[in-house]
Amino acid sequence: MFAKMTIKAVFKQYIKDLEQIYPTGEAVAIAYIIFEYFIACTKTDIVSREGETINTADLNMLNNALQKLLKQEPVQYVVGEAWFYNLKFKVTNAVLIPRPETEELVLEVIHCLKNSKDKKVLDIGTGSGCIPISIKKNVPTANVFAIDISETTLEIARSNAINNMTSVTFQKINILDEVLFASLPSFDVIVSNPPYIPENEKQLLAENVTKYEPHLALFVPNQDPLIFYKKIAHFAKTNLNVNGRIFLEVHEDLAQDTASIFKTENYEVTIKKDMQGKDRMLIIYHCQTP
């Protein structure tokens, strides 16, 4: 617990405590987020008001947040929000924390839609709703749908759509249940960042991921790691419009195998690298005669 201290002293101590589990740069970034969220103290304030004393109530809030962080709870869950594509999203441990790599996937979809007159979009496994909401926000003329298996997750996504003043149609559907395919219309664009990490790779992930983020949205069976991509390919047979496109985030080590699923069905597939040079996205196109 912090004693009665100045903003500068508490901030320095906060970073020192966080450095027990985070590199210095990350510790500083987390401290800035916490101070701004809980006590409305920005980076500028920390310098300009450094000599001010922090009151007991604010110290308690900072300390409570610190205890969660020291247990490796992600800062986004501690503050209950995350930024994605310049938009703010409510997040809880019922949804994945949006990642920068997924922003690259959304950028590809937006670029496609802005150059197309056909703009009916489906996001499969929507989570926080960051993908469809960001698409709708940047392409207001798009007609955007999103599905997820969890009603709890969909409640968060609907809340995020309202908060970001976008209109997205959300529906509870398990994409693995082919019987439900008929309940959905056809689409010009299908986008998805489905679960794709094999169970046997859990030990390779950071503890703050495996301990706090929803396993249902992360992991797939070792014996069938491409199960979601197979279902998406099957769904596209009946629900992707002529000349439609599919945008997928994929496991970097399974990109070629995932591409093969769609190439077998005569789709044209482009594998794109993310900002770190990893094979992270598939852009899939199927030209058919109506």
Side-chain angles (χ1 to χ4, degrees):
M1 177 72 72
F2 297 112
K4 197 169 186 180
M5 299 167 66
T6 63
I7 289 174
K8 179 180 180 180
V10 174
F11 188 74
K12 287 180 67 176
Q13 184 61 46
Y14 219 88
I15 293 169
K16 183 178 179 181
D17 289 339
L18 289 174
E19 284 176 332
Q20 297 175 45
I21 56 173
Y22 293 105
T24 299
E26 192 170 354
V28 171
I30 291 171
Y32 279 133
I33 292 170
I34 292 294
F35 272 61
E36 182 164 1
Y37 182 83
F38 284 103
I39 65 171
C41 192
T42 66
K43 289 182 182 181
T44 302
D45 292 332
I46 289 169
V47 175
S48 64
R49 298 167 48 199
E50 63 178 27
E52 290 184 20
T53 300
I54 299 183
N55 64 50
T56 301
D58 285 349
L59 281 173
N60 287 337
M61 284 193 291
L62 292 174
N63 185 65
N64 289 337
L66 179 63
Q67 299 315 306
K68 293 179 180 180
L69 293 167
L70 292 178
K71 293 177 183 175
Q72 299 200 32
E73 183 169 347
V75 65
Q76 294 90 342
Y77 289 155
V78 174
V79 300
E81 61 186 37
W83 286 88
F84 181 87
Y85 220 86
N86 296 320
L87 299 173
K88 186 189 294 184
F89 290 87
K90 172 186 175 182
V91 293
T92 74
N93 58 9
V95 300
L96 289 181
I97 297 166
R99 263 61 172 191
E101 309 90 81
T102 309
E103 289 186 338
E104 297 181 69
L105 184 72
V106 168
L107 177 62
E108 294 288 345
V109 177
I110 290 171
H111 178 75
C112 169
L113 291 172
K114 285 187 173 179
N115 291 283
S116 173
K117 60 179 175 51
D118 301 314
K119 299 179 179 180
K120 196 168 187 178
V121 182
L122 174 67
D123 175 41
I124 296 173
T126 197
S128 65
C130 63
I131 290 176
I133 292 167
S134 299
I135 291 169
K136 180 67 175 179
K137 194 74 173 179
N138 286 272
V139 189
T141 54
N143 189 6
V144 183
F145 293 72
I147 63 173
D148 201 282
I149 192 175
S150 166
E151 186 59 43
T152 300
T153 295
L154 288 170
E155 288 175 6
I156 294 170
R158 292 186 184 104
S159 173
N160 282 325
I162 292 169
N163 292 340
N164 283 293
M165 295 180 287
T166 54
S167 177
V168 176
T169 301
F170 293 99
Q171 192 170 348
K172 182 181 177 183
I173 286 182
N174 181 0
I175 192 62
L176 299 183
D177 187 350
E178 295 181 11
V179 173
L180 301 176
F181 287 3
S183 66
L184 288 167
S186 57
F187 299 92
D188 304 302
V189 168
I190 296 171
V191 58
S192 184
N193 176 21
Y196 57 69
I197 302 173
E199 289 275 354
N200 60 12
E201 292 186 9
K202 277 183 184 178
Q203 68 273 16
L204 302 178
L205 300 181
E207 186 177 344
N208 61 351
V209 174
T210 57
K211 190 175 179 180
Y212 291 98
E213 298 202 56
H215 287 200
L216 185 66
L218 288 169
F219 299 109
V220 286
N222 295 327
Q223 66 273 19
D224 196 5
L226 303 181
I227 183 172
F228 284 93
Y229 301 101
K230 293 174 184 176
K231 290 296 183 180
I232 290 170
H234 191 64
F235 173 78
K237 281 185 176 181
T238 55
N239 292 74
L240 182 66
N241 288 335
V242 173
N243 299 330
R245 283 175 167 79
I246 305 170
F247 296 82
L248 302 173
E249 185 169 324
V250 299
H251 190 302
E252 61 181 291
D253 296 331
L254 300 175
Q256 293 291 346
D257 292 339
T258 309
S260 295
I261 293 170
F262 293 89
K263 289 178 180 178
T264 300
E265 300 293 338
N266 297 318
Y267 287 85
E268 296 177 14
V269 182
T270 300
I271 299 175
K272 297 205 71 171
K273 296 184 183 298
D274 65 12
M275 63 181 73
Q276 298 175 354
K278 298 177 179 179
D279 292 340
R280 185 65 71 187
M281 292 170 280
L282 297 188
I283 300 176
I284 301 158
Y285 174 67
H286 199 181
C287 181
Q288 295 177 319
T289 302

